[in-house]
């Protein structure tokens, strides 16, 4: 959520909460706190007010300004407020015992929002600030902090700022913590690209924390005629296009996380220029098959991500093995349904021969190779001229269904392979402006379809750009008739906005979600159909909106509410698709 998403009424309420807690009105607060849905965070906004009430404002503003000059400002802000929350609470609760109940409710709300916003979980669990916040609220609820990393445990212990400290003691301790744990020295410019890179990730993950602190300097402050606070968003110092260095860092990050690019630099640039236009201008697309050269230069954070991906792959395989008999029966039923459909629609197959209809493109073989097989003969066979692409939504909204999605994809791919239909399987997600399309197996790699179990979910999903990427991959199809099956929740959602389109009636940029995301995805489905590709979608369980799916895919989708219905539901829709081809 960007600063522009916090409506003026909500910002006014947040400001008034701060003023009331401080017992002082009319000042411009350094920070404001909002819940993830854009509403004022009652407890944390009160804490901001209590910091103003109990501690010297000049010393605290100096601390805020010093940290604000750091490249890791987002991370340091989050860490600082974990400490300030503790000391402000200890100081204020002596006069206001009821504050304990409000604090307890805030802790409960933190974890409730965590589980109701599945899309953000993967991102948030990779954020240091999230881990520390989670530890603080666990202790408020009387639980263990839940930290495993010894470094994080020690840092968390140092963030128990005492309610007996004054502003200078708080500032000195905060500087000491940041120096010892992050090598931050006040007054010295940080020029490390690594630090800038880390702060970009922190800025990104902070957007999806259950509660977020906003610096007032990223907002324009004013008061209306009644003296109420009015806050409107202004452009953040971190807004705008990334520099060339930042873009290169992002590309390296994507490569280290997901694998080497599928195409060389020149071809990648050509494809990106072709696909990343219109609504996807300023975005990137990255194709990979997950292969990597070496992990020697990989940072600890990326290494942790890779370990998480490997752990998920193992869970996917374990899930399938534990239900092996059930899934094998699914494959048997689905493959039989596909065979029945193919028997009804046999297609002519062309083979080279010494008689029949001449094939002009083969005449050179007679001239240069003395090969007389420059004719083609037709005969009817049960295998149609058909290929299938299976594409899996791998955004973080699928976190709770990863094992099931991997198993479903394997069942569909294996069934098609057993019917001698070429299948290509890939997944898509978006992160740092890159839509990453990972190919698990190509059309002619039946023996490699178990790579599907390497599937894992993370990030966002820019469905429209992913569909363009699918069209690119399908250019290698060996068949005339092409079918794209998408396993999705029909909920496009990306952190990169859609650029302004004055000609289209949109003079301002728009979030890639909701109506705009559905509209874009629907238009890309129509474009694929226009090019001759049939498209169908499979929705898993209760995930996703049936209405959104209908707007995007028409009647060409099926919801699998119970895994036992997988074969029949997918088989029926596949039969209808085969009818349209033949």
């Amino acid at each position: 959520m960007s600063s522009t998403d916090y409506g003026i009424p909500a910002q006014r309420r947040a400001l008034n909460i701060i003023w009331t807690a401080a017992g002082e009105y009319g000042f411009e607060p350094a920070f404001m706190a909002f819940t993830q849905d854009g509403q004022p965070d009652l407890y944390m906004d009160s804490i901001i007010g209590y910091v103003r009430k109990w501690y010297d404002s000049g010393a605290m503003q100096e601390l805020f300004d010093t940290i604000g000059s750091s490249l890791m400002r987002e991370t340091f802000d989050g860490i600082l407020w974990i400490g300030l929350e503790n000391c402000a609470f200890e100081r204020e609760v002596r006069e206001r015992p009821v504050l304990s109940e409000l604090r307890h409710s805030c802790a409960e709300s933190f974890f409730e929002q965590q589980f109701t916003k599945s899309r953000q979980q993967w991102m948030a669990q990779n954020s240091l600030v999230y881990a520390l916040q989670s530890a603080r609220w666990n202790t408020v609820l009387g639980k263990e902090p839940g930290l495993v990393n010894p470094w994080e445990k020690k840092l968390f212990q140092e963030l128990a700022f005492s309610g007996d400290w004054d502003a200078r003691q708080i500032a000195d301790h905060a500087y000491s913590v940041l120096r010892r744990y992050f090598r931050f020295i006040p007054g010295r410019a940080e020029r490390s690209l690594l630090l800038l890179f880390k702060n970009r990730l922190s800025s990104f993950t902070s957007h999806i924390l259950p509660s977020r602190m906003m610096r007032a300097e990223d907002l324009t402050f004013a008061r209306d005629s009644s003296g109420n606070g009015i806050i409107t968003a202004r452009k953040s110092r971190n807004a705008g296009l990334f520099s060339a260095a930042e873009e290169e860092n992002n590309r390296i990050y994507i490569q280290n996380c997901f694998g080497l690019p599928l195409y060389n630099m020149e071809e990648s640039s050509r494809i990106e220029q072709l696909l990343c236009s219109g609504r996807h201008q300023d975005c990137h697309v990255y194709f990979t098959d997950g292969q990597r050269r070496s992990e020697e230069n990989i940072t600890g954070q990326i290494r942790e991500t890779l370990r998480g991906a490997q752990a998920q792959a193992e869970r996917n395989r374990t899930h399938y093995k534990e239900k092996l008999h059930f899934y094998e029966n699914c494959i048997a039923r689905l493959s039989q349904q596909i065979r029945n459909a193919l028997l009804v629609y046999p297609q002519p197959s062309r083979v080279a021969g010494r008689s029949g209809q001449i094939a002009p493109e083969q005449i050179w073989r007679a001239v240069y190779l003395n090969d007389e097989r420059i004719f083609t003969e037709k005969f009817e066979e049960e295998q149609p001229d058909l290929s299938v692409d299976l594409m899996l939504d791998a955004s973080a909204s699928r976190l709770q269904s990863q094992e099931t999605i991997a198993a479903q994809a394997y069942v569909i791919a294996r069934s098609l392979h057993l019917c001698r239909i070429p299948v290509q399987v890939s997944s898509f997600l978006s992160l740092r402006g890159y839509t990453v399309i990972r190919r698990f197996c190509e059309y002619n790699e039946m023996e490699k379809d178990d790579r599907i179990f390497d599937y894992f979910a993370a990030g966002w999903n820019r469905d429209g750009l992913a569909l363009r990427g699918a069209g690119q991959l399908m250019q290698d199809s060996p068949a005339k008739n092409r079918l794209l099956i998408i396993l999705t929740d029909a909920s496009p959602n990306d952190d990169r906005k859609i650029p302004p389109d004055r000609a289209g009636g949109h003079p301002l940029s728009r979030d890639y979600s909701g109506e705009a995301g559905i509209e874009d995805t629907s238009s890309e489905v129509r474009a694929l159909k226009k090019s001759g590709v049939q498209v169908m979608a499979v929705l898993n369980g209760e995930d996703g909106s049936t209405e959104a799916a209908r707007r995007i895919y028409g009647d060409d989708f099926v919801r699998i509410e119970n895994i036992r219905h997988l074969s029949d539901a997918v088989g029926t829709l596949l039969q209808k698709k085969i009818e349209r081809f033949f």
Side-chain angles (χ1 to χ4, degrees):
M1 181 177 289
S2 68
S3 58
T4 57
D5 295 318
Y6 299 107
I8 291 177
Q11 294 161 3
R12 183 185 296 121
R13 291 197 300 273
L15 181 62
N16 287 328
I17 291 171
I18 295 170
W19 282 351
T20 300
E24 179 184 349
Y25 297 84
F27 69 92
E28 179 177 351
F31 290 84
M32 302 178 76
F34 298 89
T35 60
Q36 201 199 54
D37 59 3
Q39 297 305 309
D41 186 321
L42 175 59
Y43 177 74
M44 288 306 300
D45 278 323
S46 296
I47 289 294
I48 294 171
Y50 297 143
V51 169
R52 173 79 177 198
K53 173 182 177 180
W54 290 110
Y55 304 107
D56 177 73
S57 59
M60 297 309 298
Q61 189 61 51
E62 179 183 354
L63 174 60
F64 297 150
D65 290 343
T66 302
I67 288 178
S69 67
S70 168
L71 291 176
M72 294 186 68
R73 182 181 70 169
E74 295 270 359
T75 298
F76 292 171
D77 283 348
I79 290 172
L80 176 63
W81 277 102
I82 291 172
L84 290 176
E85 183 277 333
N86 196 73
C87 62
F89 168 79
E90 289 186 358
R91 180 66 70 90
E92 180 67 19
V93 76
R94 299 166 186 172
E95 298 186 359
R96 199 182 304 272
V98 72
L99 190 61
S100 294
E101 296 181 13
L102 184 58
R103 192 190 201 202
H104 193 275
S105 297
C106 184
E108 290 180 331
S109 178
F110 177 91
F111 292 108
E112 288 173 0
Q113 291 187 53
Q114 171 190 0
F115 291 113
T116 57
K117 297 290 185 179
S118 62
R119 177 176 302 282
Q120 291 91 22
Q121 289 172 8
W122 181 87
M123 308 296 248
Q125 72 186 17
N126 286 277
S127 165
L128 172 62
V129 174
Y130 173 87
L132 295 172
Q133 280 189 356
S134 181
R136 168 54 50 75
W137 299 129
N138 269 325
T139 59
V140 169
L141 295 176
K143 303 176 183 179
E144 292 296 319
L147 297 172
V148 177
N149 187 308
W151 183 88
E152 290 181 351
K153 286 182 177 180
K154 292 180 181 178
L155 174 58
F156 178 66
Q157 291 171 358
E158 301 234 35
L159 297 181
F161 292 7
S162 172
D164 294 325
W165 293 349
D166 60 24
R168 179 46 55 194
Q169 288 174 303
I170 290 172
D172 290 344
H173 183 74
Y175 291 143
S176 175
V177 169
L178 297 180
R179 182 181 67 253
R180 287 182 285 114
Y181 286 82
F182 300 92
R183 298 181 181 179
F184 171 70
I185 299 177
R188 189 179 73 180
E190 299 164 77
R191 302 184 182 278
S192 168
L193 285 177
L194 177 60
L195 289 181
L196 183 59
F197 190 46
K198 285 182 177 179
N199 190 54
R200 282 295 184 187
L201 177 61
S202 176
S203 175
F204 180 72
T205 57
S206 70
H207 286 212
I208 49 71
L209 292 170
S211 179
R212 186 188 179 202
M213 287 286 188
M214 287 285 295
R215 275 187 175 260
E217 68 185 26
D218 292 335
L219 305 166
T220 299
F221 177 87
R223 285 191 296 273
D224 63 16
S225 57
S226 301
N228 293 317
I230 299 178
I231 312 286
T232 56
R234 73 176 179 226
K235 190 174 181 180
S236 167
R237 69 175 69 178
N238 289 327
L241 298 176
F242 291 142
S243 68
E246 291 173 298
E247 288 285 17
E248 177 62 12
N249 277 335
N250 284 341
R251 188 193 65 79
I252 293 172
Y253 175 85
I254 294 297
Q255 178 173 309
N256 285 338
C257 281
F258 299 101
L260 297 170
L262 204 58
Y263 306 106
N264 61 37
M265 188 68 73
E266 182 178 351
E267 185 68 3
S268 295
S269 178
R270 184 192 67 80
I271 293 173
E272 189 167 283
Q273 186 175 9
L274 178 66
L275 302 184
C276 298
S277 58
R279 293 187 179 99
H280 309 295
Q281 185 180 346
D282 300 327
C283 292
H284 302 279
V285 62
Y286 186 89
F287 295 88
T288 180
D289 58 5
Q291 300 299 310
R292 54 184 72 252
R293 292 196 189 98
S294 170
E295 297 185 6
E296 293 180 359
N297 299 321
I298 289 184
T299 65
Q301 186 180 57
I302 294 176
R303 195 177 302 279
E304 191 66 28
T305 299
L306 295 179
R307 280 197 290 264
Q310 181 60 40
Q312 183 58 51
E314 293 172 3
R315 287 193 290 269
N316 294 341
R317 288 179 167 86
T318 298
H319 169 82
Y320 186 85
K321 290 177 181 178
E322 288 176 348
K323 299 185 177 182
L324 182 61
H325 181 69
F326 168 76
Y327 284 123
E328 285 184 339
N329 284 338
C330 286
I331 292 173
R333 291 199 303 272
L334 181 55
S335 58
Q336 187 57 53
Q337 285 182 285
I338 296 171
R339 288 192 188 96
N340 291 340
L342 299 182
L343 285 171
V344 176
Y345 302 101
Q347 295 299 301
S349 177
R350 296 178 180 271
V351 296
R354 292 178 171 80
S355 63
Q357 183 177 353
I358 191 167
E361 70 276 8
Q362 298 296 325
I363 293 178
W364 68 273
R365 300 184 64 86
V367 177
Y368 294 101
L369 303 178
N370 294 319
D371 187 348
E372 299 178 357
R373 293 175 298 172
I374 60 172
F375 301 90
T376 58
E377 296 178 289
K378 290 184 181 179
F379 68 92
E380 299 291 326
E381 63 171 18
E382 296 179 3
Q383 182 175 341
D385 188 11
L386 170 68
S387 71
V388 175
D389 270 68
L390 188 59
M391 185 169 247
L392 287 58
D393 177 352
S395 65
S397 62
R398 318 297 278 161
L399 278 168
Q400 306 305 315
S401 309
Q402 294 174 88
E403 296 88 346
T404 302
I405 292 171
Q408 288 180 347
Y410 182 81
V411 166
I412 296 171
R414 193 64 182 168
S415 300
L416 291 164
H417 272 145
L418 291 177
C419 296
R420 297 173 60 199
I421 295 177
V423 183
Q424 182 169 243
V425 185
S426 60
S427 67
F428 70 94
L429 60 86
S430 62
L431 194 61
R432 299 193 178 198
Y434 279 80
T435 289
V436 180
I437 298 177
R438 178 178 178 179
R439 187 171 65 186
F440 297 108
C441 61
E442 299 181 63
Y443 295 112
N444 60 346
E445 294 183 326
M446 177 177 175
E447 72 285 356
K448 296 181 180 180
D449 52 15
D450 65 335
R451 289 182 180 176
I452 295 171
F453 293 114
D454 291 334
Y455 165 85
F456 72 96
W460 309 86
N461 55 305
R462 200 175 187 93
D463 291 30
L465 184 52
L467 288 170
R468 290 187 182 184
Q472 170 66 32
L473 285 180
M474 295 177 80
Q475 292 184 5
D476 295 329
S477 169
K480 174 183 176 182
N481 301 300
R482 297 168 294 165
L483 170 63
L484 174 62
I485 304 175
I486 306 174
L487 272 62
T488 178
D489 60 0
S491 299
N493 195 356
D494 190 29
D495 64 325
R496 284 282 178 103
K497 292 180 178 289
I498 299 174
D501 178 16
R502 296 184 182 279
H506 300 287
L508 301 176
S509 63
R510 294 173 291 161
D511 286 339
Y512 192 91
S513 61
E515 183 70 25
I518 291 172
E519 176 189 336
D520 176 65
T521 306
S522 176
S523 68
E524 295 301 338
V525 168
R526 292 195 299 270
L528 282 172
K529 290 181 177 180
K530 188 175 181 180
S531 69
V533 177
Q534 287 293 325
V535 182
M536 61 177 274
V538 176
L539 276 66
N540 179 62
E542 298 180 356
D543 293 343
S545 165
T546 298
E547 178 58 31
R550 194 172 305 282
R551 291 181 57 190
I552 295 171
Y553 303 103
D555 294 328
D556 298 323
F557 76 94
V558 61
R559 181 187 292 278
I560 310 298
E561 296 182 353
N562 189 315
I563 189 65
R564 298 182 182 279
H565 302 154
L566 172 64
S567 300
D568 293 337
V570 174
T572 300
L573 193 53
L574 274 172
Q575 287 178 328
K576 291 181 180 179
K577 284 296 181 183
I578 292 173
E579 290 178 12
R580 295 183 187 181
F581 279 129
F582 311 121

